[in-house]
Amino acid sequence: MDFPTLRSRLLAWYDDARRDLPWRTPRGQAPDPYRVWLSEVMLQQTRVETVRPYYARWLERFPTVDALAAAPLDDVLKAWEGLGYYSRARNFHRAVQEVASRHGGRVPGEPDAFRALPGVGRYTAGAVMSIAFGREEPVVDGNVRRVFARWTDDPAPAEDALWPMAAALVPGERPGDVNQAVMELGATVCTPRSPRCGECPVRGLCAAYAAGTQNERPAPKKARPLPHEDTAVPVIHRGGEVLLVRRPVRARLGGMWGFPQAIRHPGESASAAAERAAAEGLDLAVRAGAPVASVDHTFTHVRATYHAVRCTVVWGEPRAVRYDEVAWVPWERIGGYALPVAQKRIAALAALHPTGPHPLA
DNA sequence: GAAGCGTGGCC
DNA sequence: TGGCCAAGCTT
């Protein structure tokens, strides 16, 4: 491949076509490494338009490394609420605390030191080192993977081939812009479906374009069928309050708040499973009352149906047996807790129901 | 190396 | 509606 020609055409195109994004500073202005890093973490597996409002709110709330390092995890997760992949927020928080305590509050500009921080993988390290520090480090993300698959007309390029190719492009002036140019091309021109080859500055060097195979590159990977989880959710009332739990950090949605839950056994009713969820997860005896609602939610690798059931306490005080924390929360203060999307939906539906004890309880 | 991890948009 | 996909990382 003619890397020098690719490089110069990409840079020239990027100078003209690059989108104006909040984390991009004007040419010549030094970027803030904390902001570049934040943007890269938020953009992992997440679209630009989704990230925009989160990025702006985050910087108002946590404008600097020191501000974020000093914040409690619950505040951090609340700011991340709805963005998904919550381990990103936990890892970023931990990493920034390390930067504050061990690097004097300065984001390390050495690739090895930065790469050692939690949540920083090969891609993120290359992106932050090149964009924020001008280091000649490559990146391979989904865009780069697709662009190279088409340039080489390879249906499934190996990682061992992609990184050397990406690295061959970087040396020279403006390594951060070179990396961003490939990704920008992938995001706006060399798109997964209906690539705009007519607007591509490097179609003359593209093997897939020459062969007319751009729509079959890269080859789609086969998805596994999603398992289904039929889940009971006890919405436990006491006085004017409802019981929330904080999920263990290791688990799915780790560190986030929500309602207790238990996967239904075959043949088990939602009411029985809701009572069992309280018994096993909280060491608490509850009586199931009226069903509140059913909510379907699809995660990356599992489809869940949540059967929310109103419950009242029969006996005992809740203990966080299978959770990290429990809290009795007045309905009007639920908004202060970081809830994943499905739990928020359950809370909204449950709040529509009368909040006193069930008449038959 | 494969599986686990969120959510929303698009066709 | 349902499958696919998006600036990946960890175990």
Side-chain angles (χ1 to χ4, degrees):
Chain A
M1 291 177 73
D2 184 355
F3 288 105
T5 305
L6 270 177
R7 186 181 205 288
S8 61
R9 290 194 190 170
L10 278 169
L11 276 178
W13 170 81
Y14 183 67
D15 285 338
D16 177 56
R18 76 169 203 168
R19 292 168 294 175
D20 196 11
L21 302 176
W23 42 89
R24 286 184 177 160
T25 50
R27 280 266 286 142
Q29 183 177 324
D32 175 355
Y34 168 69
R35 294 180 178 222
V36 173
W37 183 10
L38 171 65
S39 74
E40 291 300 341
V41 175
M42 285 189 164
L43 285 164
Q44 287 168 14
Q45 303 289 284
T46 310
R47 296 170 188 283
V48 164
E49 293 314 313
T50 302
V51 166
R52 271 184 199 274
Y54 282 91
Y55 178 82
R57 283 197 301 268
W58 189 280
L59 286 178
E60 285 176 23
R61 184 108 182 61
F62 314 113
T64 62
V65 162
D66 289 334
L68 179 57
L73 177 61
D74 272 346
D75 290 2
V76 172
L77 288 174
K78 181 64 188 172
W80 203 272
E81 180 185 76
L83 245 196
Y85 285 140
Y86 298 98
S87 65
R88 292 183 293 174
R90 299 196 309 270
N91 286 335
F92 186 52
H93 186 224
R94 271 203 300 147
V96 162
Q97 287 180 327
E98 276 190 37
V99 169
S101 63
R102 293 203 226 154
H103 299 277
R106 296 295 189 101
V107 177
E110 291 294 320
D112 289 343
F114 186 68
R115 176 76 168 78
L117 295 166
V120 177
R122 199 172 177 185
Y123 164 79
T124 303
V128 174
M129 289 303 98
S130 64
I131 297 169
F133 293 99
R135 314 262 323 203
E136 296 176 352
E137 298 287 332
V139 297
V140 173
D141 75 331
N143 291 305
V144 176
R145 208 166 277 122
R146 180 175 60 257
V147 167
F148 276 123
R150 287 174 176 160
W151 279 345
T152 60
D153 198 21
D154 183 340
E159 293 297 305
D160 289 351
L162 288 166
W163 282 93
M165 284 195 285
L169 213 48
V170 170
E173 298 298 305
R174 303 165 59 192
D177 283 349
V178 173
N179 284 336
Q180 290 186 86
V182 186
M183 295 191 281
E184 189 82 346
L185 188 76
T188 64
V189 175
C190 196
T191 48
R193 280 168 310 203
S194 311
R196 301 166 173 77
C197 297
E199 303 170 25
C200 181
V202 293
R203 66 175 178 276
L205 294 79
C206 181
Y209 180 72
T213 53
Q214 62 270 29
N215 288 314
E216 292 123 57
R217 303 284 183 264
K221 20 184 177 177
K222 37 202 152 192
R224 303 208 174 286
L226 295 186
H228 183 256
E229 288 179 0
D230 212 24
T231 303
V233 177
V235 180
I236 306 170
H237 296 262
R238 190 179 72 180
E241 299 178 327
V242 65
L243 190 66
L244 294 186
V245 298
R246 194 155 64 81
R247 302 172 60 83
V249 289
R250 293 285 179 190
R252 185 191 309 162
L253 307 169
M256 299 292 284
W257 288 83
F259 298 99
Q261 53 186 259
I263 296 178
R264 271 166 72 176
H265 294 329
E268 187 182 30
S269 71
S271 293
E275 293 177 352
R276 182 170 58 78
E280 294 177 355
L282 299 161
D283 197 19
L284 182 70
V286 303
R287 163 73 55 87
V292 170
S294 287
V295 170
D296 285 309
H297 188 79
T298 303
F299 295 94
T300 308
H301 63 292
V302 64
R303 196 184 308 270
T305 301
Y306 296 106
H307 302 279
V309 180
R310 152 186 300 286
C311 292
T312 51
V313 175
V314 173
W315 183 88
E317 283 292 324
R319 292 192 305 115
V321 179
R322 292 190 180 173
Y323 303 98
D324 274 4
E325 206 174 332
V326 302
W328 288 107
V329 180
W331 280 107
E332 63 273 16
R333 287 184 47 193
I334 277 194
Y337 290 77
L339 299 176
V341 167
Q343 300 296 306
K344 254 186 144 162
R345 201 166 297 152
I346 293 169
L349 291 166
L352 295 177
H353 285 58
T355 55
H358 190 270
L360 301 181

